Amino acid sequence: MGRKVTVATCALNQWALDFEGNLQRILKSIEIAKHRGARYRLGPELEICGYGCWDHYYESDTLLHSLQVLAALLESPVTQDIICDVGMPVMHRNVRYNCRVIFLNRKILLIRPKMALANEGNYRELRWFTPWSRSRQTEEYFLPRMLQDLTKQETVPFGDAVLSTRDTCIGSEVCEELWTPHSPHVDMGLDGVEIFTNASGSHHVLRKAHARVDLVTMATSKNGGIYLLANQKGCDGDRLYYDGCALIAMNGSIFAQGSQFSLDDVEVLTATLDLEDIRSYRAEISSRNLAASRVSPYPRVKVDFALSCHEDLLEPVSEPIEWKYHSPAEEISLGPACWLWDFLRRSRQAGFFLPLSGGVDSAATACLAYSMCLQVCEAVKRGNLEVLADVRTIVNQPSYTPQDPRELCGRVLTTCYMASENSSQETCDRARELAQQIGSHHIGLHIDLVVKALVGLFSLVTGASPRFAVHGGSDRENLALQNVQARVRMVVAYLFAQLSLWSRGAPGGLLVLGSANVDESLLGYLTKYDCSSADINPIGGISKTDLRAFVQLCVERFQLPALQSILAAPATAELEPLAHGRVSQTDEEDMGMTYTELSVYGRLRKIAKAGPYSMFCKLLDMWKDTCSPRQVADKVKRFFSKYAMNRHKMTTLTPAYHAESYSPDDNRFDLRPFLYNTRWPWQFRCIENQVLQLEGTQQQELDGVD
């Protein structure tokens, strides 16, 4: 009498529209699952086409190629004698659905469409798919001819149903459904479903992992049962990094934890669990049993197959484990570094080019490239042949095996300090020291000749010579002279990215890395088309506060003492003339606010959805011990004026790793206008009226004091 079941879930590094690669990774995961004795294998959401196809879901090609991959899976001997649960888009009666296709031994058992679609933040599923809204109902789905010939089935059940095997009952929940107020697992569990599966396409945000783990453990502690969560991992073609974290839980405890960040394309988790543990756990929850006796039943698809074996008395079962979380600084050191690796190998470039200024932001970006090299070396040491093959392609040496991250960094990262007459010796030294310690190929150059030529051209044409403010120039002249330096750096960066390997006799070009942090982008404290314009930006979604914590971690973890002096120095753009050889300009003075304040504004504007007036009201309370109502009002007005003036810069923002929910990325995430009335007359008047009222109240209170 078998009652122990071995189940498998996985995290796959799928790539949008890479049907060939996606198929191979799915087959490999099924092979590993079978090898470990699993009789059920769950894969990530939309794994056949890759989650991030976006508007390609509109194309009939995407549906056609997904069906072709499904046919290849059904035909493969690898998929025999194991229930396979794969994700793909399916069109039913001319409506597109995001589906799970569950099959066994060349027969499709059920197509389960997603019922709650993710449609906020980075997600637009309602743009491409329709949710299945008929709870506990199925229809007949007519299989396309190429599948009919294979499966010898004309129609298969399509809709909200569960699988009833010889020994247990399995129900699907897809990604977002776990996050809804009334998740399907609640009613499925009451109707006797013992194994819940969740195929996800869930991206990484700093400090998010615990929410996922809490939801799964809570689901199984209230209702009992086994819960499998699969997730995509890696960068599948845009700003998001899917962070794996596949897991298996039972009765409120975790039994298997997948990695959150790794360079392995295929990761499979298995656990052997006793179904009797679910039954005895549920037996004494009388409130659950009372609700279960009233629940409307799910349609059941009968499957003549068992997940357990007859003789399993001696089969060892898995033990519960404690979930291990990364600190936010560790998440930064791993997530963006893995994202960089996927971008590098999939774009088929030969490395990265980074303008290194000697400040915290560009230093953090350099550390991420170094962290990537470290992870590549570790993966090769662990025997990851795919990573080894990719490295050899990137450095164009078929026999190369990376062992030392500093040596690898010298091959794949070129750093460049671009000095002007306004640069200080200190920042130059700091950039050079850091480059030496991480091993990057470092270049130092001066841009003054180019800047003088451009300003000279302007003077020649107009007869006017702009001057810096310290030399008596106006604000307009001062800003233009700063911007020309910043933009020259961008032009120089792209020239060197294209030709520096050529000049060294090596093939290939380099991807230019940007290093503007999320707070600067929010305020627009950057020059449009300056060094913030690049191919990709690994820190563009990370706040200055978190970046400093990450750089501090690098000091100890990567033994990079040069970072100490970088952390200690004030943040500066170094675009204005030096005063007696010293930096006269700092970022926070220029911005008129601190980075700490900026993080607060960012969270309130995007996450709390606060306009100027709401932000003023919230900050009155938050800052009551340090600021008067008038000071709060001035700060809010200054922020919104600058934000509105510079919002247009977000339209050209370099694609950045999405790490914060308050990212101002105009392209996909933060859908707001970029032409505002920067005076905000109505909103600011509401704030002003409120301040006057509060000041009047305070005055009355003072008048009443003898």
Side-chain angles (χ1 to χ4, degrees), residues 450-467 476-477 480-481 484:
V450 189
V451 174
K452 281 192 171 71
L454 286 170
V455 176
L457 174 68
F458 177 83
S459 301
L460 189 70
V461 172
T462 63
S465 294
R467 290 175 302 172
R476 279 193 292 175
E477 293 166 68
L481 288 173
V484 72

CSV table of all heavy atoms in Angstrom, one decimal, residues 450-467 476-477 480-481 484:
chain,number,residue,atom,x,y,z
A,450,VAL,N,38.7,67.7,-26.4
A,450,VAL,CA,37.5,67.6,-27.1
A,450,VAL,C,36.5,68.7,-26.6
A,450,VAL,O,35.8,69.3,-27.4
A,450,VAL,CB,36.9,66.2,-26.8
A,450,VAL,CG1,35.7,65.9,-27.7
A,450,VAL,CG2,37.9,65.1,-27.0
A,451,VAL,N,36.4,68.9,-25.3
A,451,VAL,CA,35.5,69.9,-24.7
A,451,VAL,C,35.8,71.3,-25.3
A,451,VAL,O,35.0,72.0,-25.7
A,451,VAL,CB,35.6,69.9,-23.2
A,451,VAL,CG1,34.7,71.0,-22.6
A,451,VAL,CG2,35.1,68.5,-22.6
A,452,LYS,N,37.1,71.6,-25.3
A,452,LYS,CA,37.6,72.9,-25.8
A,452,LYS,C,37.2,73.1,-27.2
A,452,LYS,O,36.8,74.1,-27.7
A,452,LYS,CB,39.1,73.1,-25.6
A,452,LYS,CG,39.5,73.5,-24.1
A,452,LYS,CD,40.9,73.9,-24.1
A,452,LYS,CE,41.3,74.5,-22.7
A,452,LYS,NZ,41.4,73.5,-21.7
A,453,ALA,N,37.4,72.0,-28.0
A,453,ALA,CA,37.0,72.0,-29.4
A,453,ALA,C,35.5,72.3,-29.6
A,453,ALA,O,35.2,73.2,-30.5
A,453,ALA,CB,37.4,70.7,-30.1
A,454,LEU,N,34.7,71.7,-28.8
A,454,LEU,CA,33.2,71.9,-29.0
A,454,LEU,C,32.8,73.3,-28.6
A,454,LEU,O,32.1,74.0,-29.2
A,454,LEU,CB,32.5,70.8,-28.2
A,454,LEU,CG,32.5,69.4,-28.8
A,454,LEU,CD1,31.9,68.4,-27.7
A,454,LEU,CD2,31.7,69.3,-30.0
A,455,VAL,N,33.3,73.7,-27.4
A,455,VAL,CA,33.0,75.1,-26.9
A,455,VAL,C,33.6,76.1,-27.9
A,455,VAL,O,32.9,77.1,-28.2
A,455,VAL,CB,33.5,75.3,-25.5
A,455,VAL,CG1,33.2,76.7,-25.0
A,455,VAL,CG2,32.8,74.3,-24.5
A,456,GLY,N,34.8,75.8,-28.4
A,456,GLY,CA,35.4,76.7,-29.4
A,456,GLY,C,34.6,76.8,-30.7
A,456,GLY,O,34.4,77.9,-31.3
A,457,LEU,N,34.0,75.7,-31.1
A,457,LEU,CA,33.1,75.7,-32.3
A,457,LEU,C,31.9,76.6,-32.1
A,457,LEU,O,31.6,77.4,-32.9
A,457,LEU,CB,32.7,74.3,-32.6
A,457,LEU,CG,31.6,74.1,-33.7
A,457,LEU,CD1,32.3,74.4,-35.1
A,457,LEU,CD2,31.1,72.7,-33.7
A,458,PHE,N,31.3,76.5,-30.8
A,458,PHE,CA,30.2,77.3,-30.5
A,458,PHE,C,30.6,78.8,-30.6
A,458,PHE,O,29.9,79.7,-31.1
A,458,PHE,CB,29.7,77.0,-29.1
A,458,PHE,CG,28.5,77.8,-28.6
A,458,PHE,CD1,27.2,77.6,-29.0
A,458,PHE,CD2,28.7,79.0,-27.8
A,458,PHE,CE1,26.2,78.4,-28.6
A,458,PHE,CE2,27.7,79.8,-27.4
A,458,PHE,CZ,26.4,79.5,-27.8
A,459,SER,N,31.7,79.2,-30.0
A,459,SER,CA,32.2,80.6,-29.9
A,459,SER,C,32.4,81.1,-31.3
A,459,SER,O,32.1,82.2,-31.7
A,459,SER,CB,33.4,80.7,-29.1
A,459,SER,OG,33.2,80.2,-27.8
A,460,LEU,N,33.0,80.2,-32.2
A,460,LEU,CA,33.4,80.6,-33.6
A,460,LEU,C,32.1,81.0,-34.3
A,460,LEU,O,32.0,82.0,-35.0
A,460,LEU,CB,34.1,79.4,-34.2
A,460,LEU,CG,34.7,79.7,-35.6
A,460,LEU,CD1,35.9,80.6,-35.5
A,460,LEU,CD2,35.1,78.4,-36.3
A,461,VAL,N,31.0,80.2,-34.1
A,461,VAL,CA,29.8,80.4,-34.8
A,461,VAL,C,29.0,81.6,-34.3
A,461,VAL,O,28.4,82.3,-35.1
A,461,VAL,CB,28.9,79.1,-34.8
A,461,VAL,CG1,27.5,79.3,-35.4
A,461,VAL,CG2,29.6,78.0,-35.5
A,462,THR,N,29.0,81.7,-33.0
A,462,THR,CA,28.1,82.7,-32.4
A,462,THR,C,28.8,84.0,-31.9
A,462,THR,O,28.2,85.0,-31.7
A,462,THR,CB,27.4,82.2,-31.1
A,462,THR,OG1,28.4,81.8,-30.1
A,462,THR,CG2,26.6,80.9,-31.4
A,463,GLY,N,30.1,83.9,-31.8
A,463,GLY,CA,30.9,85.0,-31.3
A,463,GLY,C,30.8,85.2,-29.8
A,463,GLY,O,31.2,86.2,-29.2
A,464,ALA,N,30.1,84.3,-29.1
A,464,ALA,CA,29.9,84.4,-27.6
A,464,ALA,C,30.7,83.3,-26.9
A,464,ALA,O,30.7,82.1,-27.4
A,464,ALA,CB,28.4,84.3,-27.3
A,465,SER,N,31.3,83.6,-25.8
A,465,SER,CA,32.1,82.6,-25.1
A,465,SER,C,31.5,82.4,-23.7
A,465,SER,O,31.6,83.2,-22.8
A,465,SER,CB,33.5,83.0,-24.9
A,465,SER,OG,34.1,83.1,-26.2
A,466,PRO,N,30.8,81.2,-23.5
A,466,PRO,CA,30.2,80.9,-22.2
A,466,PRO,C,31.3,80.7,-21.1
A,466,PRO,O,32.4,80.3,-21.3
A,466,PRO,CB,29.4,79.6,-22.4
A,466,PRO,CG,30.1,79.0,-23.6
A,466,PRO,CD,30.6,80.1,-24.4
A,467,ARG,N,30.9,81.1,-19.8
A,467,ARG,CA,31.8,81.0,-18.7
A,467,ARG,C,31.2,80.3,-17.5
A,467,ARG,O,29.9,80.3,-17.4
A,467,ARG,CB,32.3,82.4,-18.2
A,467,ARG,CG,33.2,83.1,-19.2
A,467,ARG,CD,33.5,84.5,-18.8
A,467,ARG,NE,32.3,85.3,-18.6
A,467,ARG,CZ,32.2,86.5,-18.1
A,467,ARG,NH1,33.3,87.1,-17.7
A,467,ARG,NH2,31.1,87.2,-18.0
A,476,ARG,N,22.8,79.6,-16.9
A,476,ARG,CA,22.6,78.9,-18.2
A,476,ARG,C,24.0,78.5,-18.8
A,476,ARG,O,24.2,77.4,-19.2
A,476,ARG,CB,21.9,79.7,-19.2
A,476,ARG,CG,20.4,79.7,-19.0
A,476,ARG,CD,19.7,80.3,-20.3
A,476,ARG,NE,19.9,81.7,-20.3
A,476,ARG,CZ,19.5,82.5,-21.4
A,476,ARG,NH1,18.9,81.9,-22.4
A,476,ARG,NH2,19.7,83.8,-21.4
A,477,GLU,N,24.9,79.4,-18.7
A,477,GLU,CA,26.3,79.1,-19.2
A,477,GLU,C,26.9,78.0,-18.4
A,477,GLU,O,27.5,77.1,-18.9
A,477,GLU,CB,27.2,80.4,-19.1
A,477,GLU,CG,26.8,81.5,-20.0
A,477,GLU,CD,27.5,82.8,-19.6
A,477,GLU,OE1,28.7,82.9,-19.7
A,477,GLU,OE2,26.8,83.7,-19.1
A,480,ALA,N,25.4,74.6,-19.2
A,480,ALA,CA,25.8,74.1,-20.5
A,480,ALA,C,27.3,73.6,-20.5
A,480,ALA,O,27.6,72.6,-21.2
A,480,ALA,CB,25.7,75.3,-21.5
A,481,LEU,N,28.1,74.3,-19.8
A,481,LEU,CA,29.6,73.9,-19.7
A,481,LEU,C,29.7,72.6,-19.0
A,481,LEU,O,30.6,71.8,-19.3
A,481,LEU,CB,30.4,75.0,-19.1
A,481,LEU,CG,30.6,76.3,-20.0
A,481,LEU,CD1,31.3,77.4,-19.2
A,481,LEU,CD2,31.4,75.9,-21.3
A,484,VAL,N,28.3,69.7,-21.5
A,484,VAL,CA,29.1,69.3,-22.6
A,484,VAL,C,30.2,68.3,-22.2
A,484,VAL,O,30.5,67.4,-22.9
A,484,VAL,CB,29.7,70.6,-23.3
A,484,VAL,CG1,30.8,71.2,-22.5
A,484,VAL,CG2,30.2,70.2,-24.7
